């Protein structure tokens, strides 16, 4: 189950000006991720035109879940079998809000188009690389929007094959660069 919280700073307790305000988390919404096993990763994506902000989760069953968040709560948009083994990580693209990346224990790095996802339909596969990572893809870090060159999306992946890889997501055949980390790229 995924839970969405709002954290408001509470009123300072005590009589003096030095009394500390305590954060007061309040549950706003929850979402049942049926068949998820254990949720492994969560990512927040800013709204695209005509959508609310989105929340994505990966799971030990290889499923990915995408929910639309709203003031009234959270609604599951779509879920699909993204990986043949545990889904380690998800991340939204910082340039295109309709793109989601996922990585899993199957050593696959995948790109998903979310525009047609919803109403029981899975996201559309928009690219993948299943041969460059020698082990599971356990982290994905998209470059910030202000670093994008000519609208291109660049991503760094980490794997427990002890390498970090830089990708131009317009061409996922081969990474632009590989760097030895001397340990897993978590």
């Amino acid at each position: 189950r995924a839970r969405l919280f709002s954290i408001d700073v509470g009123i300072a307790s005590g009589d003096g000006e030095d009394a500390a305000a305590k954060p007061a988390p309040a549950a706003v919404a929850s979402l049942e991720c049926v068949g998820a096993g254990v949720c492994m990763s969560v990512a927040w994506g800013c709204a695209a035109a005509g959508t609310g902000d989105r929340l994505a989760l990966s799971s030990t069953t290889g499923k990915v879940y995408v929910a639309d968040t709203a003031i009234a709560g959270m609604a599951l948009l779509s879920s699909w079998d993204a990986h043949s083994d545990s889904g380690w990580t998800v991340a939204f693209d910082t340039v295109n809000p309709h793109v989601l990346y996922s990585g899993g224990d199957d050593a696959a790095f995948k790109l998903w188009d979310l525009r047609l996802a919803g109403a029981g339909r899975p996201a559309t596969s928009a690219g993948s690389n299943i041969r460059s990572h020698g082990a599971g893809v356990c982290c994905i870090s998209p470059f910030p929007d202000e670093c994008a060159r000519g609208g291109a999306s660049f991503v760094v992946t980490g794997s427990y094959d002890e390498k970090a890889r830089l990708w131009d997501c317009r061409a996922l055949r081969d990474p632009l660069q590989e760097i030895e980390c001397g340990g897993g790229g978590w």
Side-chain angles (χ1 to χ4, degrees):
R1 176 177 298 268
R3 292 191 176 112
L4 186 61
F5 288 87
S6 170
I7 301 178
D8 296 321
V9 176
I11 298 173
S13 58
D15 297 336
E17 289 181 30
D18 295 332
K22 295 181 182 179
V28 175
S30 66
L31 178 71
E32 186 69 36
C33 298
V34 176
V38 175
C39 287
M40 299 295 288
S41 175
V42 63
W44 188 272
C46 293
T51 70
D53 286 351
R54 293 181 174 173
L55 188 72
L57 299 108
S58 64
S59 71
T60 55
T61 62
K63 288 182 88 82
V64 168
Y65 301 82
V66 176
D68 194 353
T69 64
I71 293 181
M74 232 180 340
L76 183 66
L77 288 176
S78 185
S79 65
W80 63 95
D81 293 320
H83 294 275
S84 61
D85 208 333
S86 293
W88 281 100
T89 185
V90 286
F92 284 95
D93 189 82
T94 58
V95 175
N96 183 344
H98 299 291
V99 171
L100 179 72
Y101 304 104
S102 68
D105 216 16
D106 55 4
F109 167 49
K110 298 185 177 186
L111 186 151
W112 303 96
D113 184 340
L114 299 175
R115 287 177 289 190
L116 298 178
R121 293 185 312 267
T124 304
S125 175
S128 67
N129 182 291
I130 58 171
R131 62 182 183 79
S132 292
H133 296 90
V137 178
C138 46
C139 71
I140 299 172
S141 183
F143 277 40
D145 187 28
E146 59 271 10
C147 296
R149 307 276 189 257
S153 294
F154 294 96
V155 173
V156 175
T157 58
S159 171
Y160 53 91
D161 67 1
E162 302 187 1
K163 294 179 183 171
R165 292 170 177 84
L166 173 64
W167 302 88
D168 177 342
C169 291
R170 297 171 296 183
L172 293 180
R173 181 180 170 101
D174 294 301
L176 296 173
Q177 190 169 8
E178 269 186 7
I179 299 168
E180 290 283 340
C181 298
W186 297 91

